[in-house]
Amino acid sequence: MPYQQFQFPPQSLFCLETNRPAQASVDLGTIITPVLCYDDTTEEYGNGVLEVPDTLDTAGTVTFRVVCSPKTGAASKNVGWTFGHRPVNTAEAIDGSYTDEDSGAVAITATTGQQTIMEWTETVANLGWVAGDVVYFRLSRDPGVTNDLTGDCYFVRLAVDVPVT
């Protein structure tokens, strides 16, 4: 199935809300990269915007993918992510509630400096997105997952694959 991918590195998300992740750069081996540091106790938000393509396949499924790395690796630990979204089209109010799409608890690598790629999906119909929507979103780490990783989880990248015809 064809899709259009939207990629959001840490520096493309705005940390606008009262609870927000710290912005940093870290050395993940031989690569120094910008990250957002999401802690394990408070839900923190990085905000962004994407525009739904005019060729949206309304019968398709959207894939959310987060690349992250533990600040301090620990065995048998999980991390969960939430993509809160508010789709808005022409002549619709921007204000309103976010709808959350949760990854659920996903096992994270136990090794500091290694990455985990987490992926979850939702149908376009359940998201309520239509062609031309501007989707205001906020990405957060879910502090309530079982066996939650203690301390910061470094956010490296978000990708959103939107199905198109």
Side-chain angles (χ1 to χ4, degrees):
M1 170 184 293
Y3 61 87
Q4 182 172 339
Q5 185 175 80
F6 297 87
Q7 292 197 28
F8 301 94
Q11 62 270 37
S12 72
L13 297 183
F14 296 95
C15 300
L16 304 170
E17 303 191 28
T18 302
N19 293 331
R20 56 183 169 258
Q23 298 172 317
S25 63
V26 297
D27 186 344
L28 298 172
T30 59
I31 296 174
I32 298 172
T33 189
V35 297
L36 294 177
C37 306
Y38 285 89
D39 76 34
D40 62 324
T41 59
T42 304
E43 194 166 24
E44 302 169 320
Y45 303 101
N47 302 78
V49 178
L50 68 85
E51 186 174 343
V52 177
D54 289 335
T55 56
L56 176 68
D57 179 354
T58 57
T61 298
V62 173
T63 300
F64 304 95
R65 191 174 305 105
V66 170
V67 178
C68 60
S69 178
K71 179 177 181 180
T72 304
S76 303
K77 295 298 179 180
N78 297 317
V79 171
W81 296 94
T82 299
F83 182 89
H85 63 99
R86 170 83 174 132
V88 179
N89 212 300
T90 299
E92 291 181 347
I94 294 173
D95 65 333
S97 300
Y98 287 98
T99 300
D100 290 341
E101 302 301 330
D102 297 321
S103 69
V106 178
I108 191 166
T109 180
T111 305
T112 302
Q114 289 187 358
Q115 71 179 17
T116 299
I117 301 171
M118 300 178 177
E119 184 175 294
W120 67 103
T121 61
E122 185 56 85
T123 64
V124 171
N126 284 344
L127 290 169
W129 295 2
V130 299
D133 272 351
V134 173
V135 178
Y136 297 86
F137 70 87
R138 62 184 188 179
L139 182 71
S140 62
R141 178 179 170 190
D142 180 357
V145 300
T146 57
N147 298 320
D148 195 19
L149 173 73
T150 302
D152 284 346
C153 185
Y154 294 142
F155 165 78
V156 178
R157 178 169 303 276
L158 166 67
V160 180
D161 296 343
V162 178
V164 294
T165 56

